[in-house]
Amino acid sequence: MNPIFSTERVNTGRQLEFDLVKAVTIVLMIWTHTYESLSTGFEPSLSAINTYVRGSIAGAAAFMFCMGTGLAYTTHNSSGESFQRGIKIITTGFILKLFQEIVPALLSSLIFNLPDNLVYLVYGLSVDILQFAGLSFLFIGCLKKLKVEKTGILLISIALSILGTLLEGISTGCYPVDQILGFIWGTPTDSYFPFFNWFIFVAAGQWFADKYQFLQGKKRFHAISLLVGTLLCAAYIYVSFNVEQNIFKGLTSKIFLGHRPVFDAIVCLPINVGLISLFYFIGLVIPKKLVPAIIHPSKHINQYYCISWVLIQPIYYLCPGFERLSSDSQVILFWICILTATVLAVTIYSKYLKERMESFFGKHRIFWSALVWGLCIASFILAVCLFDEYPNLMNNYEI
């Protein structure tokens, strides 16, 4: 029997299983954003899907793990290119905040005379997945500059995950300072994806993909991985919901969606590998003609993420009479509408607008980036000056 791993790289180029996981993950993330943002908080049968997605069995952790695999396969892997990509993604995250929260909050306060909506300007500096991704690229750029190998990066990420868990909830007593620190660990602010807690997924994905390139016995490896991942996933779900313990919190606490503890992170890593194995076998039976359409979200993942949020979140600001969805069928219908509109918008943007916009804004990139950062920081400062309490992850967005 041939060994599973080769001494030479045999899996180079795009790997369909990685693309499929990213595509399905972004579709499920649009689902959970629709459910959590627009529903009444009811507990329908489909709430289980939302729990497992946001609990990172098939959500943000898989998204970030696959982002890490991309780092191992990219040809643009110098430290300088990592720095540039990091700044670009952070800026994209702030652009999203402008159109997702800041502009709608300003418009609603002016058009509908709702001055209290100005409190949502505090989200100008909230921490979301794009800001985290950008910080990850910056950090990896630094480590590459120091010539740290992928195994070393993985060990550093484990240490950071432990540190993030120990620092959980520590506050300086000053909300603006806590919000800045929320980029690093989970503070009592709107800090969904702090760097210390989540970098382990990116580092593990990069390490895994580096070894994956030497994998020659794919079917054997994925059969074993799928079995192990399935059993571990079942055990994780059972222990989380049926055993009194204070170790695994990702499925039972909304706060730990963002403030991912080290034990949840470690158990989710082999589950994510098992998820990749599942889609490896699915990829074997997908007709080749359908592959480009199926992996379309994977190739345009940032656009899917940003456009879907811009379609979802401003509804509250610009439709003050909107009633929250209160049934399975309503959530499903709304999700399908959001997903369809997102696909159309991304297709139009990538085909007709992307090159023109990149050409226009690329000529003065530093100016436009500084403007975006400045507007987000200014909106945050304005909210802090006007209000004393702020809706965030820690208070369930109620003040």
Side-chain angles (χ1 to χ4, degrees):
M1 184 179 290
N2 294 327
I4 291 180
F5 289 93
S6 170
T7 56
E8 298 180 357
R9 296 181 189 274
V10 292
N11 292 315
T12 56
R14 294 189 79 100
Q15 304 296 305
L16 177 59
E17 50 269 33
F18 295 161
D19 280 329
L20 288 174
V21 172
K22 286 192 287 186
V24 170
T25 296
I26 192 63
V27 170
L28 288 175
M29 287 175 74
I30 293 173
W31 155 263
T32 200
H33 294 160
T34 303
Y35 173 88
E36 293 198 336
S37 298
L38 303 179
S39 76
T40 56
F42 64 104
E43 292 295 330
S45 56
L46 290 176
S47 66
I49 296 177
N50 182 65
T51 298
Y52 301 144
V53 171
R54 71 174 176 84
S56 295
I57 290 178
F63 182 93
M64 296 174 186
F65 189 89
C66 286
M67 186 182 89
T69 64
L71 289 171
Y73 275 90
T74 183
T75 56
H76 304 288
N77 57 4
S78 69
S79 58
E81 287 170 318
S82 292
F83 286 133
Q84 291 178 14
R85 194 172 178 187
I87 295 296
K88 183 177 180 180
I89 293 176
I90 293 174
T91 303
T92 301
F94 285 140
I95 292 172
L96 175 59
K97 289 299 177 185
L98 280 175
F99 291 97
Q100 175 193 6
E101 304 279 5
I102 296 173
V103 171
L106 286 170
L107 288 176
S108 67
S109 65
L110 293 173
I111 296 173
F112 303 112
N113 192 27
L114 298 171
D116 286 347
N117 276 3
L118 293 176
V119 72
Y120 298 110
L121 298 181
V122 77
Y123 295 147
L125 284 185
S126 62
V127 187
D128 210 336
I129 199 166
L130 290 175
Q131 286 84 348
F132 160 77
L135 286 176
S136 295
F137 277 103
L138 293 178
F139 189 62
I140 286 175
C142 291
L143 295 179
K144 285 181 178 178
K145 198 76 173 176
L146 297 172
K147 302 188 184 305
V148 179
E149 297 295 329
K150 293 178 177 64
T151 299
I153 294 175
L154 178 59
L155 293 175
I156 290 171
S157 74
I158 295 172
L160 293 179
S161 181
I162 295 171
L163 184 58
T165 302
L166 294 175
L167 291 172
E168 164 63 32
I170 290 180
S171 170
T172 65
C174 176
Y175 193 91
V177 175
D178 282 351
Q179 185 63 81
I180 300 302
L181 293 175
F183 281 77
I184 310 301
W185 74 79
T187 61
T189 60
D190 203 47
S191 171
Y192 250 94
F193 296 99
F195 175 76
F196 281 178
N197 302 67
W198 286 91
F199 182 65
I200 188 172
F201 293 101
V202 178
Q206 181 182 230
W207 182 88
F208 170 77
D210 185 61
K211 306 303 177 188
Y212 196 81
Q213 293 178 49
F214 296 91
L215 180 64
Q216 63 180 6
K218 269 191 166 186
K219 282 191 177 180
R220 267 194 295 156
F221 172 83
H222 284 301
I224 296 170
S225 169
L226 180 57
L227 177 61
V228 172
T230 301
L231 293 175
L232 189 59
C233 184
Y236 178 52
I237 292 171
Y238 178 81
V239 170
S240 295
F241 287 106
N242 298 288
V243 177
E244 278 194 38
Q245 45 82 33
N246 197 35
I247 297 175
F248 302 114
K249 307 172 185 177
L251 292 179
T252 55
S253 169
K254 185 173 183 178
I255 289 173
F256 289 103
L257 157 67
H259 302 177
R260 176 67 35 171
V262 62
F263 297 110
D264 286 278
I266 288 175
V267 79
C268 280
L269 292 177
I271 291 175
N272 291 156
V273 176
L275 192 64
I276 290 172
S277 297
L278 172 63
F279 281 97
Y280 166 76
F281 289 110
I282 291 174
L284 294 178
V285 299
I286 293 177
K288 290 185 178 179
K289 291 182 180 180
L290 296 179
V291 168
I294 293 173
I295 67 172
H296 187 266
S298 172
K299 292 186 174 182
H300 304 279
I301 201 158
N302 285 347
Q303 289 96 321
Y304 268 77
Y305 186 82
C306 292
I307 289 174
S308 62
W309 257 133
V310 170
L311 293 173
I312 294 169
Q313 195 64 26
I315 288 174
Y316 280 119
Y317 298 110
L318 303 178
C319 303
F322 175 79
E323 294 185 5
R324 283 178 171 265
L325 310 176
S326 58
S327 69
D328 287 342
S329 58
Q330 287 179 340
V331 175
I332 292 172
L333 180 61
F334 220 94
W335 170 58
I336 292 173
C337 291
I338 294 291
L339 186 58
T340 302
T342 300
V343 172
L344 291 174
V346 171
T347 302
I348 292 170
Y349 172 80
S350 58
K351 190 172 183 179
Y352 299 106
L353 299 175
K354 184 179 179 181
E355 289 186 6
R356 296 178 183 179
M357 293 186 70
E358 288 182 350
S359 175
F360 177 79
F361 291 107
K363 292 178 182 178
H364 304 286
R365 185 174 301 163
I366 294 177
F367 167 78
W368 291 113
S369 297
L371 178 62
V372 168
W373 286 53
L375 288 172
C376 287
I377 293 170
S379 70
F380 177 80
I381 293 173
L382 179 59
V384 170
C385 291
L386 293 175
F387 300 92
D388 297 320
E389 294 182 85
Y390 319 97
N392 57 60
L393 174 63
M394 298 299 286
N395 59 29
N396 200 30
Y397 297 95
E398 295 177 358
I399 56 173

